[in-house]
Amino acid sequence: MFESMENLLVANDLREIHRLVLIDTPISTYFNDCLKNEKIDETNIEFIRNSVYKAYLEDFVNFCIQLGDECSDLMQLLVFEADRRVINITLSSFGTELTVSDKLKLFPSFGSLNPSGQLAMAQCTNSEEFHNMLEVMAPYGSVLSRFKGAEPRTLDKILDEEEHFLCQSIFLQRSRYAVFMAYINLCEQELRNVMWIAECIAQQQKFRIEECLICADVRLN
């Protein structure tokens, strides 16, 4: 794959990128639904990225279904990730030309919000409608209420903390394959913590360190 990366310099559209670079890689099939996008601009790149990630998640879920009960705990992490994709895509769509149909095409075909919650999310046109809708949806209404208080928290941090809690919980039960994904997710979060701390120190803004820092969940103590 890396030997063919230089071909990106001569590629004019996604079809050429797929033919010259991606076709022989394991992720090639995830791009099949994106090849109709002729232009490579900022909007289309974001659409392609979300489409590819959707295809990856759905392929992952189908693999877990084939393995049966061995992946029941792993499915919890995938369901949460699918719901987070729906939330993030909805927030990113405000002020864009994405229609309800466009957003539904980007939403994974599974998750606790599927299907009625996803349709409701796709119909939101502003942040106020979004938050009102999210607060009445299980289990995210309880997630938001648990973090209400004086400390300002972004929705991204709330979801990161919830994922961190889920991954920690995996290690307290007989989780089989789920421990591998949980371990990787926790390592990635640890890396993001280190990068955030380093950036705050470099910018001489140590007072902001705790703003995006994700720590061990006290609910497990």
Side-chain angles (χ1 to χ4, degrees), residues 151 153 157 160-161 189-190 192-197 208-216:
E151 181 183 353
R153 295 174 184 265
K157 183 174 181 181
D160 284 343
E161 288 176 328
Q189 184 56 60
E190 184 178 20
R192 288 192 291 270
N193 282 345
V194 172
M195 293 177 64
W196 172 254
I197 293 172
R208 297 188 58 193
I209 286 179
E210 292 188 4
E211 287 185 15
C212 294
L213 206 60
I214 308 298
C215 303

Side-chain angles (χ1 to χ4, degrees), residues 168-194:
Q168 287 180 276
S169 301
I170 293 295
F171 287 92
L172 301 180
Q173 52 190 310
R174 186 170 176 266
S175 303
R176 305 180 182 94
Y177 297 121
V179 295
F180 298 104
M181 184 174 182
Y183 176 76
I184 291 173
N185 287 349
L186 290 173
C187 287
E188 289 177 344
Q189 184 56 60
E190 184 178 20
L191 179 60
R192 288 192 291 270
N193 282 345
V194 172

Side-chain angles (χ1 to χ4, degrees), residues 14-172:
L14 185 59
R15 290 183 182 274
E16 286 191 46
I17 293 176
H18 184 267
R19 179 177 62 84
L20 296 173
V21 181
L22 298 171
I23 195 167
D24 293 324
T25 68
I27 63 173
S28 173
T29 56
Y30 298 155
F31 287 83
N32 289 340
D33 293 335
C34 308
L35 297 179
K36 61 183 179 180
N37 289 283
E38 298 295 336
K39 296 181 180 180
I40 305 180
D41 54 29
E42 185 175 348
T43 301
N44 277 331
I45 287 176
E46 190 65 19
F47 190 90
I48 291 167
R49 185 178 70 85
N50 286 317
S51 297
V52 170
Y53 202 84
K54 171 190 174 182
Y56 157 73
L57 284 177
E58 292 175 345
D59 191 28
F60 200 162
V61 164
N62 290 333
F63 175 74
C64 291
I65 292 174
Q66 293 176 11
L67 294 180
D69 292 341
E70 292 290 322
C71 289
S72 58
D73 294 320
L74 183 54
M75 285 291 292
Q76 296 179 22
L77 297 177
L78 293 176
V79 164
F80 176 82
E81 183 60 29
D83 291 344
R84 177 158 59 179
R85 298 300 303 172
V86 172
I87 291 171
N88 287 338
I89 290 170
T90 301
L91 285 174
S92 300
S93 69
F94 299 151
T96 69
E97 297 180 356
L98 285 180
T99 65
V100 172
S101 177
D102 290 334
K103 285 182 274 189
L104 289 174
K105 289 178 182 178
L106 296 176
F107 293 166
S109 59
F110 66 98
S112 65
L113 298 178
N114 182 58
S116 58
Q118 292 188 0
L119 179 59
M121 285 288 182
Q123 294 172 337
C124 293
T125 58
N126 55 60
S127 59
E128 183 177 356
E129 291 180 2
F130 166 78
H131 282 94
N132 291 337
M133 187 66 64
L134 191 62
E135 286 183 350
V136 299
M137 290 183 179
Y140 297 101
S142 60
V143 170
L144 288 176
S145 64
R146 188 163 60 245
F147 290 97
K148 286 181 178 179
E151 181 183 353
R153 295 174 184 265
T154 64
L155 186 57
D156 283 339
K157 183 174 181 181
I158 291 173
L159 295 176
D160 284 343
E161 288 176 328
E162 188 64 17
E163 181 191 43
H164 200 271
F165 170 71
L166 289 174
C167 290
Q168 287 180 276
S169 301
I170 293 295
F171 287 92
L172 301 180

